[in-house]
Amino acid sequence: GKLFDFARSQGCDYVSTGHYVRVEQRADGNFYLRKAVDASKDQTYVLYFLNQDQLSHVIFPLGDMTKVETRAVAAGQGFGNAQKAESMDICFVPDGDYARVVRACTGGVGQPGNFVTSAGEVRGQHKGIACYTIGQRKGLGLYGPEPVYVSAIDAAANTVTVGPRAELLRGDCLAGDMCWAAVAFVKERPEKVPLKSFAVFAPPFWALLYRINATAMATAAAQATTRMMVRHMFEIPRSRVRDLTPVQMCQLRAAAVTMSAAV
């Protein structure tokens, strides 16, 4: 991307970032994006799009360290942010008020509209679609015998669909712009793809792990599929995923190696 282009224009051979990921070059000569040592801080899903040229010119010094070790190094160097509180959401929105940031950047959060059910029943008025996200429960201002969650947002109709938790569950998703980071590995040795593979669905601020069918993933990788329906790949008992949202990232892994991801 542009950062790599700029680095090269300045005569730099490598780019170094503070992401918690690792890069490994294997005997086949290919570079692989691997999960960080500190699994609780792993950020491979953010960097799924890096190609072989980029992976060969990037350094992740924190990938082999835990967050505790990182803090210790920072403290030893006298860094003022060594004990800085964890950022659970967007780092530049510490109070969690994303609508405020959208309003400051764009001048608004959209026009008020209707909260509706999946059956079309109007449940109330929303403040603007930028104030809500899939899976949201708090701050809706809706009351009833059962909790309701945001299950869909229709920008064209300016409606926010709400319903019970069950309406958040999905058994499949359509993933596009697949980037098979380890496609050479899968094409050459599909039988070596571990059976314990995972799909990581990563909304902007958290990630969930779900076991998927490795055979289905290997087949898609061998064909270098760029757009695929991830359907019935989730194995029992966790067969359905909640809060799937457009523009989320879907990462497919074999063991700790990122095989593919898409938006």
Side-chain angles (χ1 to χ4, degrees), residues 16-174:
S16 179
T17 84
H19 291 92
Y20 281 86
V21 302
R22 292 179 293 167
V23 172
E24 175 187 41
Q25 185 177 24
R26 294 190 170 181
D28 61 8
N30 290 309
F31 291 85
Y32 295 89
L33 194 63
R34 292 183 58 85
K35 186 169 64 175
V37 167
D38 191 339
S40 67
K41 298 300 178 184
D42 178 61
Q43 294 177 303
T44 50
Y45 66 88
V46 180
L47 301 172
Y48 75 90
F49 52 81
L50 295 181
N51 58 38
Q52 286 293 301
D53 179 56
Q54 292 167 335
L55 288 173
S56 67
H57 291 89
V58 66
I59 300 172
F60 301 109
L62 303 187
D64 291 310
M65 301 171 63
T66 65
K67 187 61 176 285
V68 173
E69 293 171 334
T70 301
R71 287 187 182 279
V73 171
Q77 296 296 318
F79 294 167
N81 62 350
Q83 299 304 322
K84 182 180 178 180
E86 293 283 347
S87 176
M88 303 304 293
D89 295 321
I90 297 179
C91 59
F92 55 84
V93 191
D95 61 358
D97 188 355
Y98 311 109
R100 174 182 57 78
V101 176
V102 172
R103 186 179 295 108
C105 294
T106 68
V109 293
Q111 297 298 315
N114 290 330
F115 280 119
V116 298
T117 67
S118 57
E121 176 189 359
V122 176
R123 286 291 308 274
Q125 292 284 304
H126 65 68
K127 301 175 182 178
I129 60 173
C131 297
Y132 309 95
T133 188
I134 304 297
Q136 181 175 337
R137 175 184 173 186
K138 296 182 179 180
L140 303 182
L142 301 176
Y143 304 95
E146 299 291 337
V148 294
Y149 303 79
V150 174
S151 60
I153 298 173
D154 187 334
N158 194 30
T159 59
V160 175
T161 302
V162 296
R165 183 178 183 278
E167 292 187 1
L168 297 175
L169 302 178
R170 299 289 185 271
D172 55 37
C173 74
L174 178 63

